[in-house]
Amino acid sequence: MSSNKKYWKSVEELENGSVVEALRNNEFVEAIPTEEFLGNSDALSTSSTSRRDFLKYVGFSTAAATLAACEGPVNKSIPYVLQPEQIIPGVADYYATSVFDGFDFANLLVKTREGRPIKIDNNTIAGAKFAANARVHASILSLYDNMRLKQPKVGGQTSTWSAVDAKIKASLVDAKADAGQVVLLTNTLASPSTEKLIAEFIALNPSAKHVVYDAVSSSEALDAFEIVYGERALVDYDFSKASLIVSVGADFLGDWQGGGYDSGYTQGRVPKNGKMSRHIQLEANMTLSGAAADKRLAMSTANQKQALVHIYNIVTGASVSVNLDAKFKAEVTKAGQQLKAAGSEGLLVSGIQDKNAQLLVLAINQFLASKSFTTSGSRQIRKGSNEKVSQLIKDMNAGSVHTLIMSGVNPVYTLADSTLFVDGLKKVKTSVSLTLKEDETALVSTIAAPVPHYLEAWGDLSLTKGTYSLTQPTIRPLFDTKQLQDVLMSLNGMSGDYYDYLKASSSAFISGATWNKIVHDGVNVGVSQPLSAASADYSSAANALAQSKAADGFELVLYTKTGMGDGQQANNPWLQEFPDPITRVSWDNYVTVSNADAKQLGLSNEIVANGGLNGSYASITTADGLKLENVPVIVQPGQAVGTIGLALGYGRKAALKEEMQVGLNAYPLYKGFNNVQPVTFVKADGEHEFSCVQGQKTLMGRGDIIKETTLEIFNTKDAEVWNEVPMVSLNHEEVKATSVDLWDSFDRSIGHHFNLSIDLNACTGCGACVIACHAENNVPVVGKAEIRRSRDMHWLRIDRYYSSEDTFEGDNERKDNIAGLSDSLSTFSEMEKAGDNPQVSFQPVMCQHCNHAPCETVCPVAATSHSRQGQNHMAYNRCVGTRYCANNCPYKVRRFNWFLYNENSEFDYHMNDDLGRMVLNPDVNVRSRGVMEKCSMCIQMTQATILNAKREGRVVVDGEFQTACSNACSNGAMKFGDVNDKESEITKLAEDERMYHLLEHVGTKPNVIYHVKVRNT
């Protein structure tokens, strides 16, 4: 029987309800006027305040705090009137699909609940080789972006698709009559059926042509490959087959050639049988690849070009004269000799945007007969031509382009000479922008036509030659959208829809497989023959490259950040709040500068009183006079002297919420599609406020955090040497800390007991796990101001550590040589500063799910407790927000909801509108303010796995248990499982000699285990 009684939390609520009602809406409770009776010691001794009055104040504050902490939103659900047969409420459905947006690509499984896509997972079926990066994981939120273009617009006014079709068809007829050009400008499509449709469109419109434009160009590498192999494509390197990797300016763990190389790379980076690959990196900016390298040389691009020619000389026996800086010559020579000695197990890659440099890369790998270098299965994800794009702009300004149809591009934002493009667009009679959003280009086009998100659309992809994958819709289109292919079919006068066309076309690519099978699997792998190399003048390329000279002033190196990429998802709050793996800064782009150059120019960073990071401003001026003013500065250890770095993808304004309009647009500096530009660089007035998490939630300077060793020591010394267990005193004797328990342990051998393993050798800091955790667990976005106050809500953080010396081993030697207290204080103070070219380590840290958890013993209401399965639980309804648990956690992994982030106009991100909230996982509670939260080890996922196995009458097989982070990690850095299954992989990892726990001397007995990082130096 239900009750209609009204329950009151205190007498004061009855007597003064208006005050308490106000408290419900306030973040903090009004200060109690304790100064009346606790103002000072004199007043206290003579106070007439009675015990009853004191308790009344206490009762008032307790009631108010309880109200602030525990009132949650009430949501009512409406059941189906007619339930769809395909949907079982509470049970997830998964769809295999693939994505390619012209920049990012992956083979995916999409999790849907009650018809709503809510999470991206990796497709692990054989042949699905490309895993989702952080941006692809976040793309699920972009589906529910309320700033999407919802219906067509003609001349800025709302229109219909029938009017749009009629206007485009009329323009095509007019173009034929006027003999004007019709141009289809798209990003790289990598879609066989779409390219077929475009060919049919051009056949019907003889004056039409197709121009491919990539916002971030790989044109020089494409040109070089086309010269040698006769096909416009990129090499799909297999890093797992290389014992030695030399990278000259290629961030292959980042976005170089589209990325996706990290899983192959990490296969060789985990020591097996005493062996692991060796990685040498030559670069200007500190990158993910440079952070992972065993040996890193910080050098300008001008020196990189000379170094590449020098390596070419050593490997091939050529004798081209080089002008390499003397301080690099010995190390580059050694790298070239090691590469030659490695032979077929060696690999050289380069990101230098110079056709001659890319020709030398092909020549060196051909000479080595590198197993990692193969021309079969070449990448089809970059097809853009700088030359053709430049010619298009000239034609537009000459008035020869009559109709321009654009899809998947935003040249008004991404082109360096966008003003020329806009001027040319004014001379085009009909311009059509097929776009997700009313972006910068759509605003100045005649027609802005909305296209569906990839999760609403059909499509096919050939990401590498010989493979074929499908994109299938996982939800009905949310808005009045039409995809490019349907538009082309209409313009071609074809009946039916694109689905029928795609299904009919697919038979030519699926190698005998059925349509239903490829829809189910998402991918089909065929056979691709290697290409034959034609003769090329490598000697002339080497001579031309050797003539390169350093420009006067500074060298600007443009790059794409791990979170933002080329800027397509700038309105995605998950990506804006994602801390950059290297700088740990979110909500900004900035110029990175070396410590030496910063000192010379008077540039600095400092942590201020509130814990936030502040930095200087600077101005950048290009050779042709373009000036970018007030660029925030980050002093970046490892930045090559004389160079600066700046990320593309920021500074957008159109179709973005105000909160997401951050940073500066660096594309105007991307002159001639070259990411390296000569600039002058000077300090400007003012100070910038960064949202940087690096100085927040630290482990308080305690040891036993990052454990590292060299391959030589790993192979020749016992584990006690390189994986030393801390000692503690017990009964006046030194014993291993792991042998001492603070409390009596209970029997954990019954049922499941979960462990999460993190291999520091395999972690590249890519951040896919961070975004996957966001999506799975409804982690809120708090914004730049709150990040500055140390209030980020990430359940999983990736700590980044720099060495003070050139190596972490050097740090250890310096620390071991400390003599006396005064030396200790001064030395440790100096070691807090990173070296000029430091080694870097990444360490994912989440709740350690301690079997002897300090948080559990201090919670006054038992809101946090331990389970037999090894998970540390949080009962949100019990939590009153004392934060004792956060104070008592040595790992600093607990988060406090300072505000209500859901349905709060002060936090206008995805949780503030109905569309954005469609991404929320119904299996995980949305927390209210005043509540503590932290990693749950994805208990909803482990329990679902147990229930599924129980329903099917079987035991859970190894590998079936997953968390969001382990599922997202394609590198194998994170492994999750049941240690009570003695045959499981996690059990073997827990018994590995590289295994250790964070802060073992504290005695918390965590269920998260780490593996010592080994460097092949």
Side-chain angles (χ1 to χ4, degrees), residues 46 79 131 143 227 329 351 362 372 502 591 713 728 740 828 919 962:
T46 60
L143 168 66
I227 288 170
K329 195 158 190 176
L362 301 178
S372 301
L502 173 64
V591 61
I713 295 174
V728 296
V740 180
F828 277 120
V919 82
Q962 292 287 349

Side-chain angles (χ1 to χ4, degrees), residues 142-159:
S142 295
L143 168 66
Y144 302 115
D145 185 352
N146 202 34
M147 301 294 287
R148 283 176 57 185
L149 183 60
K150 299 176 176 64
Q151 55 194 29
K153 289 187 175 182
V154 176
Q157 301 299 314
T158 301
S159 186

Side-chain angles (χ1 to χ4, degrees), residues 386-417:
N386 297 345
E387 185 181 343
K388 290 182 179 178
V389 173
S390 299
Q391 185 59 49
L392 171 62
I393 296 172
K394 291 176 184 176
D395 291 345
M396 289 167 61
N397 279 282
S400 56
V401 177
H402 181 283
T403 304
L404 177 65
I405 302 173
M406 296 169 282
S407 175
V409 295
N410 185 9
V412 174
Y413 166 66
T414 57
L415 274 174
D417 49 357

Side-chain angles (χ1 to χ4, degrees), residues 64 98 119 212 274 304 327 392 480 531 577 606 616 722 735 795 852 901:
S98 295
K119 187 170 181 290
V212 180
Q304 290 173 36
K327 65 182 177 181
L392 171 62
D480 185 13
L531 301 171
E577 191 142 300
E606 63 174 343
S616 304
W722 49 264
V735 298
W795 283 13
H852 293 166
Y901 303 111

Side-chain angles (χ1 to χ4, degrees), residues 554-787:
F554 279 85
E555 179 183 280
L556 169 67
V557 182
L558 299 166
Y559 68 100
T560 54
K561 281 179 72 171
T562 305
M564 195 50 59
D566 64 350
Q568 289 186 53
Q569 295 192 75
N571 203 47
N572 191 311
W574 287 351
L575 294 176
Q576 290 283 10
E577 191 142 300
F578 172 70
D580 181 75
I582 300 295
T583 63
R584 309 287 286 135
V585 173
S586 60
W587 293 100
D588 256 320
N589 66 337
Y590 34 77
V591 61
T592 55
V593 59
S594 70
N595 188 48
D597 290 330
K599 285 181 178 177
Q600 186 176 358
L601 296 171
L603 303 168
S604 64
N605 292 138
E606 63 174 343
I607 295 178
V608 294
N610 68 354
L613 179 73
N614 287 5
S616 304
Y617 281 117
S619 294
I620 301 172
T621 308
T622 63
D624 58 359
L626 178 65
K627 192 170 186 178
L628 200 61
E629 296 184 341
N630 294 329
V631 187
V633 173
I634 287 287
V635 180
Q636 175 62 60
Q639 184 78 32
V641 175
T643 71
I644 56 176
L646 182 62
L648 301 165
Y650 286 81
R652 292 189 58 187
K653 303 294 183 185
L656 263 68
K657 289 186 177 181
E658 185 179 352
E659 291 82 356
M660 258 66 81
Q661 296 177 21
V662 296
L664 296 165
N665 185 7
Y667 277 110
L669 306 179
Y670 192 34
K671 300 286 185 179
F673 300 97
N674 195 329
N675 70 325
V676 179
Q677 299 288 335
V679 296
T680 56
F681 179 62
V682 295
K683 184 179 180 180
D685 295 332
E687 195 172 57
H688 185 77
E689 295 184 345
F690 290 103
S691 57
C692 178
V693 299
Q694 180 60 24
Q696 304 167 6
K697 300 181 178 67
T698 67
L699 300 190
M700 313 303 286
R702 295 168 175 171
D704 309 331
I705 298 170
I706 288 282
K707 288 190 177 183
E708 293 203 357
T709 189
T710 64
L711 185 62
E712 181 184 2
I713 295 174
F714 176 76
N715 286 333
T716 57
K717 305 288 185 181
D718 292 334
E720 289 80 7
V721 176
W722 49 264
N723 189 10
E724 184 179 358
V725 178
M727 309 295 284
V728 296
S729 177
L730 179 67
N731 298 327
H732 305 290
E733 293 183 4
E734 273 202 341
V735 298
K736 291 182 178 180
T738 52
S739 67
V740 180
D741 282 339
L742 297 176
W743 300 282
D744 291 336
S745 297
F746 58 84
D747 181 10
R748 303 189 187 96
S749 62
I750 300 171
H752 304 290
H753 192 82
F754 298 118
N755 272 196
L756 176 64
S757 168
I758 300 174
D759 194 327
L760 300 182
N761 263 60
C763 179
T764 62
C766 71
C769 54
V770 176
I771 302 298
C773 176
H774 250 296
E776 175 66 28
N777 295 297
N778 301 334
V779 176
V781 173
V782 300
K784 182 175 181 177
E786 292 299 292
I787 294 281

